[in-house]
Amino acid sequence: MRILVGLLFLFSSALMAQDWPSKQIRIIVPFAPGGIADTSSRAISDRLGSRLGQPVLIENRAGAGGNIGTEMVAKSAPDGYTLLLGFDGTMVVNPHTYAKLPFDTLRDFAPVTKLGDAPVIVVAHPSVPAKNLRELIALAKAKPGTFSYGTAGAGTTPHLVGEMINLRAGTDFQHVPYKGGGQAMGDVIGGQIQLVITAVASSQQFIKAGKVIGLGISGAKRTASVPEVPTFIESGLEGFVVNSWTGILAPKATPRAIVERLQREIAAVLAEPEVRERYAVLGIEPVGNTPDEYAAQIRADLAQWGPIVKRAGIRID
């Protein structure tokens, strides 16, 4: 009987994949409009819809650090019509910071492809006498307890990057969580706080205007949007590469043929010059890797962040 049920499932999945898509597709973004996660999905939705022959709509379901919208997709029908805009903070950090989650990153989703990598950046008020992260670390060691850094909130990727800097460099930068990156940036511009760790897209206009100083970027190489800002590696933190990422995931039992079709079409969209230019403005490096490659990174990132979260004592109940 189990064999018969399995064969029927495979047969019905094959038929579903042949007819897919026959109606509009939703990408659920578990955050409010306007952030880097939301914008990275909107940059591809129209072009993806053209390639698939059906509209691709972006639907924002914000709340609980991304958990509400993510749970919605986890419980959706695995038919390829409801997809998730996955964000590293939600998918690989929240499992370590929240006491209870309404989804399981590995059990409930079928990774499709990573859309792109976005390094974070350390910026400072112009009064801070440092031109790069190396000089900032030296100042922090000379004057312990002097420097605080703001982020968009506890348990976010920028927060964890700050904790990793403390561990790697032996510093004691103090974390100040805000309710959003915009508020943190406003306070560093106003001089209420010395440092902010944030997305490149949130800070580049202020760096160019001279309102803040870019000290270091967490990517493997410098970014075209702020090419003057050195990497963490250039500042002496060997091998220190951390990228925030966004990607597309489907409910777990989505037919493999649909997942692979989605990956091919999304990768083609990410290769288009207009999309690449849009991502460059956002400080995102397009990826478009295979489902298996994306799944491997999710597993690796889950393992990486666990000890950092535990050592930093980050917990959200």
Side-chain angles (χ1 to χ4, degrees):
M1 179 61 72
R2 289 182 179 178
I3 294 175
L4 179 59
V5 170
L7 290 173
L8 288 173
F9 176 76
L10 290 174
F11 181 70
S12 62
S13 295
L15 288 177
M16 183 191 303
Q18 284 181 357
D19 294 336
W20 184 89
S22 60
K23 61 181 181 179
Q24 73 178 27
I25 297 164
R26 294 185 302 166
I27 297 178
I28 304 300
V29 176
F31 300 98
I36 191 169
D38 177 70
T39 310
S40 69
S41 64
R42 293 183 187 277
I44 68 164
S45 58
D46 288 346
R47 298 297 307 131
L48 180 60
S50 296
R51 295 188 66 90
L52 292 173
Q54 294 291 342
V56 176
L57 304 181
I58 305 301
E59 184 175 322
N60 297 90
R61 291 293 185 96
N67 295 338
I68 291 175
T70 302
E71 178 189 15
M72 175 184 171
V73 178
K75 295 179 178 179
S76 296
D79 54 12
Y81 293 104
T82 302
L83 307 173
L84 173 68
L85 189 286
F87 180 62
D88 63 304
T90 304
M91 306 306 294
V92 299
V93 177
N94 284 6
H96 301 297
T97 58
Y98 280 80
K100 293 182 180 180
L101 277 184
F103 62 87
D104 184 291
T105 297
L106 300 180
R107 183 192 63 213
D108 294 337
F109 299 97
V112 176
T113 189
K114 181 165 67 170
L115 294 180
D117 286 317
V120 301
I121 188 170
V122 179
V123 302
H125 186 269
S127 64
V128 176
K131 297 178 182 178
N132 53 53
L133 188 59
R134 186 191 298 272
E135 293 181 3
L136 178 66
I137 289 170
L139 285 172
K141 287 184 173 181
K143 298 180 179 180
T146 301
F147 294 97
S148 299
Y149 69 97
T151 72
T156 59
T157 302
H159 178 197
L160 297 184
V161 167
E163 296 296 339
M164 286 184 71
I165 292 173
N166 281 338
L167 291 173
R168 289 287 304 273
T171 50
D172 65 344
F173 294 110
Q174 299 300 305
H175 179 234
V176 180
Y178 285 80
K179 293 182 179 180
Q183 184 183 9
M185 185 59 63
D187 273 7
V188 78
I189 291 170
Q192 284 79 29
I193 192 169
Q194 304 107 316
L195 308 166
V196 164
I197 305 179
T198 187
V200 174
S202 302
S203 61
Q204 57 187 352
Q205 62 178 315
F206 303 113
I207 293 172
K208 292 175 181 177
K211 294 182 178 180
V212 295
I213 307 297
L215 301 182
I217 195 164
S218 67
K221 59 183 181 180
R222 297 192 185 198
T223 183
S225 55
V226 282
E228 71 278 13
V229 180
T231 66
F232 289 4
I233 295 172
E234 290 177 87
S235 290
L237 297 177
E238 183 178 352
F240 196 141
V241 176
V242 175
N243 287 303
S244 189
W245 50 254
T246 61
I248 300 296
L249 302 97
K252 185 65 173 180
T254 302
R256 181 72 178 191
I258 291 177
V259 170
E260 291 177 347
R261 169 86 187 280
L262 273 169
Q263 187 277 327
R264 290 194 301 271
E265 302 295 358
I266 292 171
V269 170
L270 291 172
E272 295 180 7
E274 290 184 5
V275 174
R276 297 186 71 85
E277 289 174 9
R278 178 61 178 146
Y279 268 36
V281 170
L282 296 170
I284 303 174
E285 181 68 28
V287 178
N289 56 0
T290 68
D292 289 343
E293 290 168 339
Y294 186 27
Q297 175 167 4
I298 290 171
R299 289 193 298 270
D301 286 356
L302 274 167
Q304 171 184 262
W305 287 127
I308 303 297
V309 170
K310 184 176 181 180
R311 186 171 296 188
I314 304 168
R315 201 68 177 168
I316 301 173
D317 295 319

